[in-house]
Each structure stands twice: as structure tokens, then as C-alpha cells.
Amino acid sequence: MVNIPAPRPAAGQVLITTEAVGVGGVDAVIRRGTLASYGFPEGFVPGSEVAGIVTAVGDDTDASWIGRRVWGFTGTGGGYAEQALAPVEEILPLPDGLSAVDAVTLGSSGVVAHFALARAHFRAGEKVLVRGAAGSIGIAAVQLAARLEAAAVAVTTSSPERGRRLRELGATHVADRSGDAGAQAPADYDVIIDIVAGPDMPLFFDRLAPNGRMVAVGIVAGPPPADFGTKLMDAFRKSLSFATFSADTVRPDHRQAVRVEQFAAASRRELATVVHEVLRLDEAVTAHRKMDAGEVFGRIVLKP
């Protein structure tokens, strides 16, 4: 733990005394240096989503937020702290029945999964493969695809036990990390949601059906090869599509509308929030070691 001055909200910001802090895959990617070109300085505090009580607001900010339980998006960092700042347009009241821990498990990941499926132009009756489904984004994507009546929801994962748990959440087929799900699985997929990227990403273009669409939402395994686009050109006659997706490109009010719906569904137990473990804030290093070792199913949450 490191002591730093308590932050003070500027105009348009709120100060949240945190009850729960989500540990996301992007935190690990930043810490590993994969996104070093974005200029994260030494001493950077990770953490992009928190939940807790608003204890102060900046100038020109509605003071009625003070005392309310909220989920908040802090940006690229600043969340691994007892107090964190968030723009007022990036906070949301927590519904009754939704804990702070559940909120930071679903808040960002559910929105990414929702808009990734939308970016892929997914339609009911299509076959979906979620690559790297054991994290919070993948778990949300599996559930949302199943709720939207996908004909098949396949997942890649690292163990039969994880596969069993993903089936309970809506997966219909379980594949190994290469994408092989056996003879009973679909021969190809209309949509692939890829959270992993890395050197093997281009191999999954071979698993797309004609007019298939892959959307990459993460780089947990690092960036793909520089020449990955040659695979798409080699399959020119299949009219395949590839896109990246970041929730940063979605208007805040659109993100919040989806989040309101998902929080309500989670509070009714219609959408599962899978928490791997709750650790103390000063155990953030342990949380990252567990992620690097591939031990995490769902999300680790820190509590001050």
C-alpha cells in the first residue's frame, strides 16, 4: 500500500469512497506494458471501475449525489484506492439488490459484451464463438448471446471444469484453446468475439462461416501478428469481416442505458455476476499474479 493525497473532485466530477474495486484485464495489460505507447507514467494507479458512496462533488455538479450508492467509471486508472474520482456522466445509482461487488463485476464487462455483439451485427439464430470466455467479458458475452437466442454458443477455455461452468451460463459447446470443440460442434461460426488476440488470433478466421464477423475486444495474450490481415485476404471469397471494439467509442448515455438494464437484470438474478474472489485492496499484487497464472474465472474484486 502507498499513501497518496486524497483526490479532490473538479467541476463535473464526484468523489467516491470505494466499497469495491473491479480488477480488469485492461489493468493487467497496462501493468505489463502492452499499452506503453499510451504513456502510462511510473506511479500510475490502475483500476477503471469502482462502487461505493459519493462523499463529495465538484463545482457545478449536483450535490444530491452525495450519500448515494453508485457504480463509477474512473477512466483508464485511479480505481485501486480508498477514494476515487469519476465524471458525473460516468456514474450510476445502484439498484436495490445489487451489491457493490456485483456492480464492479458487471459494470464494464457487460457493456463491452453487449456492444461487441452489436458491432458484429449478431442476429438470433446465428452461431457464436467466444474466445477466452472465462473472464468477465466472456462470461457476459456467453449469457447475452444465449439470451438473444443464438443457435449455438461455443467457448474456448482451458479446462473441463471451466467448460462445465460456462455451460451452466449458456454455452452449448466447449472448445480447447485452439477452438476444437469436437465432432458435435458447429463447423463454423457467424460471429467470433475475441478477448484474447495474441499470435493465434489469425487461425480463428478459418472458423468463420461465409460472411462471418470477428470482433476483437481485448489483447489478453498481446497483439496479433502484424500480418494477420493476410488471412482475411486469403479467404477473400468468403467475405469475412474483422473489427476492433472499445467502449470508448460509445456515447456515455448509450453505455449507461445498457448498464441500467443489465444492473436491473442482475438484481433480479436474470444475469449472473461471477466473482472469482474478493481480496483486500492491499492484495492487488496477488490479484494480478492470479490473472497472469490463468487462475481466474470471472472477476477478482478488491475491497478497501
Side-chain angles (χ1 to χ4, degrees):
M1 292 283 286
V2 175
N3 290 322
I4 58 176
R8 298 181 63 180
Q13 290 183 320
V14 303
L15 179 67
I16 301 170
T17 296
T18 59
E19 296 177 353
V21 180
V23 180
V26 68
D27 302 342
V29 169
I30 291 171
R31 188 253 309 155
R32 293 172 193 146
T34 307
L35 301 179
S37 61
Y38 286 80
F40 296 103
E42 184 177 352
F44 172 80
V45 177
S48 63
E49 62 181 313
V50 301
I53 306 293
V54 175
T55 50
V57 300
D59 293 340
D60 301 320
T61 306
D62 187 355
S64 68
W65 281 109
I66 296 175
R68 300 179 71 180
R69 294 177 66 246
V70 300
W71 173 93
F73 179 69
T74 64
T76 55
Y80 289 14
E82 295 173 335
Q83 295 179 300
L85 298 173
V88 69
E89 67 270 17
E90 297 281 13
I91 65 173
L92 193 68
L94 296 187
D96 294 338
L98 187 71
S99 70
V101 169
D102 287 338
V104 298
T105 301
L106 180 63
S108 290
S109 57
V111 163
V112 171
H114 171 92
F115 285 107
L117 288 166
R119 176 63 60 91
H121 302 288
F122 167 77
R123 297 181 294 272
E126 291 191 315
K127 299 166 291 182
V128 178
L129 171 66
V130 180
R131 182 175 178 233
S136 56
I137 295 174
I139 287 170
V142 167
Q143 293 183 82
L144 293 178
R147 293 179 74 191
L148 293 169
E149 300 182 347
V153 182
V155 296
T156 70
T157 191
S158 60
S159 72
E161 171 60 19
R162 290 185 171 200
R164 180 191 65 77
R165 296 183 68 182
L166 287 164
R167 283 185 182 275
E168 292 174 350
L169 293 165
T172 57
H173 300 83
V174 176
D176 61 21
R177 285 179 170 174
S178 74
D180 183 5
Q184 303 303 314
D188 51 29
Y189 300 92
D190 303 292
V191 170
I192 295 177
I193 304 298
D194 190 341
I195 304 147
V196 180
D200 293 335
M201 190 191 80
L203 301 178
F204 283 79
F205 291 135
D206 295 336
R207 298 190 181 276
L208 285 172
N211 298 304
R213 294 88 69 195
M214 179 189 291
V215 177
V217 299
I219 52 171
V220 173
D227 63 348
F228 75 88
T230 59
K231 267 284 191 180
L232 287 172
M233 298 307 294
D234 289 345
F236 191 88
R237 296 178 65 188
K238 291 177 69 177
S239 299
L240 304 181
S241 300
F242 172 80
T244 59
F245 173 73
S246 166
D248 290 343
T249 60
V250 179
R251 281 176 31 181
D253 58 327
H254 290 177
R255 294 197 300 262
Q256 294 291 60
V258 170
R259 197 168 283 124
V260 167
E261 179 184 339
Q262 292 182 346
F263 279 2
S267 67
R268 297 189 301 265
R269 303 297 183 262
E270 295 170 5
L271 195 61
T273 57
V274 179
V275 179
H276 179 83
E277 190 173 6
V278 178
L279 299 174
R280 298 189 314 272
L281 181 59
D282 61 6
E283 294 180 291
V285 171
T286 299
H288 278 248
R289 285 174 177 162
K290 287 175 180 284
M291 286 197 297
D292 286 352
E295 299 175 6
V296 178
F297 185 87
R299 172 152 289 194
I300 292 180
V301 175
L302 304 176
K303 294 196 77 170

